[in-house]
Amino acid sequence: MNITYSGNGCFVLKAGKSATMAFEPGDDFGDKVTCSTFSSGKVNEKVKTDRSLYLPGEYEIGGILVRSLYTDDRTNVVFKVTFEDIALAHFGNIGDLPIGNFFEELGENVSVAIIHASENFDSKKIKTLLDKVGPRYVLVTGDEIHTKGLIDNLAAKKAEDNTINITKASLNEDRMDVILF
């Protein structure tokens, strides 16, 4: 599984030979993708895609299993993508800790989490979320003012490259790697 940060909160997941997903693609994102996801529910008409997801549900696209669910009162959708026994959760534009039975619905096997730090979802809330989800890799975007606490409290490191290759063998069960973009 290759994950590339494309700027402005957009991550592109390439899984296998034919499946490509773009999370939160911006206006200038023009690559052809199998599926694009939009946590805010606003589909970007400029993205060239075979399918756009923005509501809760269960899908299979190009051999990738996708499950999406609300984190709150219907303003943010989390996309959980499973491919080759690796589960990735893209938390979208999360504004607060999830409510209700969200964590039970999400499940326990999240290996990779993608989170956007913001004024409403700062390093303290991110740490609380990570303690509940327990991923092995965490990819974080956002303003430095909101990610500084992750460097101090979780030994987060700035990304050396925009692309990360994650395999089942590369997942370390003993630690959580937090990478800032």
Side-chain angles (χ1 to χ4, degrees):
M1 175 184 296
N2 268 333
I3 304 168
T4 301
Y5 177 61
S6 295
N8 296 322
C10 176
F11 283 88
V12 178
L13 166 67
K14 292 190 184 230
K17 294 179 181 177
S18 61
T20 302
M21 295 182 79
F23 297 99
E24 304 287 344
D27 288 339
D28 57 353
F29 187 85
D31 291 337
K32 176 74 171 157
V33 294
T34 304
C35 175
S36 55
T37 61
F38 305 86
S39 68
S40 63
K42 297 176 185 172
V43 175
N44 186 336
E45 300 296 332
K46 296 180 182 178
V47 176
K48 299 172 189 169
T49 182
D50 290 339
R51 191 163 187 187
S52 293
L53 305 177
Y54 53 91
L55 293 173
E58 293 187 12
Y59 314 91
E60 182 178 346
I61 301 165
I64 297 174
L65 299 176
V66 180
R67 185 162 180 247
S68 53
L69 51 145
Y70 284 119
T71 58
D72 53 22
D73 58 354
R74 300 179 176 260
T75 58
N76 185 64
V77 177
V78 168
F79 293 91
K80 183 178 181 182
V81 176
T82 305
F83 181 76
E84 293 181 349
D85 294 329
I86 298 174
L88 175 147
H90 182 275
F91 285 89
N93 294 317
I94 191 166
D96 208 344
L97 292 170
I99 59 174
N101 61 347
F102 171 82
F103 292 104
E104 291 83 22
E105 289 182 32
L106 182 66
E108 298 179 358
N109 65 339
V110 174
S111 303
V112 181
I114 299 176
I115 302 172
H116 180 78
S118 67
E119 183 177 342
N120 294 327
F121 208 73
D122 61 12
S123 61
K124 289 180 184 177
K125 288 183 181 178
I126 290 173
K127 182 171 179 347
T128 301
L129 178 75
L130 296 177
D131 287 344
K132 291 181 182 257
V133 176
R136 303 293 88 209
Y137 275 98
V138 183
L139 311 179
V140 182
T141 65
D143 215 345
E144 275 189 49
I145 193 166
H146 306 299
T147 59
K148 183 172 179 355
L150 297 173
I151 295 170
D152 299 338
N153 297 324
L154 295 174
K157 297 178 182 164
K158 294 195 180 210
E160 295 177 12
D161 192 9
N162 282 355
T163 300
I164 294 174
N165 186 23
I166 297 175
T167 64
K168 191 72 170 167
S170 70
L171 296 173
N172 187 330
E173 294 300 320
D174 297 330
R175 73 172 193 271
M176 177 172 54
D177 294 316
V178 181
I179 302 166
L180 306 175
F181 289 91

